[in-house]
């Protein structure tokens, strides 16, 4: 059996209610095992030639590589920004039991039907 590759996915939302809603939807859909909704931060960036500064709420999303495409699609579908930040970082080490939990909690619905009861 091939090891499951765990990912940490980062995105930012414009406010806490939209961040909490997205977090709940991703976990409910089993696209994420856990989503941390962090404290608001200030982001400074260039957009369409102008310097912008805004408050954003970062999300730390734990998933596995097999679910990334569906996760990205779900974020893009629900995200209010024209160009949302969606960055996936590989998890190269971690507590084995936690990484196993991430893998279990992000199984696709088809995989759940095949799982032993």
């Amino acid at each position: 059996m091939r090891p499951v590759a765990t990912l940490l996915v980062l995105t930012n939302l414009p406010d806490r209610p939209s961040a909490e809603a997205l977090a709940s939807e991703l976990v409910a859909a089993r696209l994420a095992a856990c989503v941390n909704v962090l404290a608001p931060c200030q982001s400074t960036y260039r957009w369409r030639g102008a310097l912008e500064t805004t408050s954003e709420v970062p999300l730390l999303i734990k998933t596995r590589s097999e679910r990334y495409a569906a996760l990205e699609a779900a974020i893009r579908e629900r995200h209010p920004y024209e160009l949302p930040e969606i960055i996936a970082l590989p998890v190269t080490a971690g507590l084995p039991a936690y990484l196993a939990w991430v893998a279990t909690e992000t199984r696709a619905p088809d995989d759940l039907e095949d799982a032993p009861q």
Side-chain angles (χ1 to χ4, degrees), residues 24-41:
S24 293
E25 291 169 12
L26 295 176
V27 173
R30 301 185 78 87
L31 295 172
C34 175
V35 179
N36 301 115
V37 179
L38 303 181
C41 68

Side-chain angles (χ1 to χ4, degrees), residues 67-78:
R67 300 294 277 155
Y68 178 77
L71 172 72
E72 180 185 287
I75 293 171
R76 292 183 67 178
E77 179 181 312
R78 294 163 177 81

Side-chain angles (χ1 to χ4, degrees), residues 14-61:
D15 55 58
R16 189 156 198 92
S18 62
E20 290 175 352
L22 181 60
S24 293
E25 291 169 12
L26 295 176
V27 173
R30 301 185 78 87
L31 295 172
C34 175
V35 179
N36 301 115
V37 179
L38 303 181
C41 68
Q42 179 175 302
S43 297
T44 302
Y45 52 93
R46 185 174 308 280
W47 180 247
R48 300 192 187 275
L51 191 61
E52 302 280 341
T53 299
T54 190
S55 178
E56 296 184 299
V57 178
L59 297 184
L60 303 179
I61 305 162

Side-chain angles (χ1 to χ4, degrees), residues 1-7 30 32-34 62-67 91 93-108 112:
M1 185 166 100
R2 153 176 168 246
V4 174
T6 304
L7 298 176
R30 301 185 78 87
C34 175
K62 277 70 75 169
T63 192
R64 59 189 174 121
S65 59
E66 292 83 357
R67 300 294 277 155
V91 175
L95 181 67
Y98 181 82
L99 299 179
W101 174 78
V102 170
T104 297
E105 292 305 313
T106 55
R107 288 182 295 182
L112 292 173

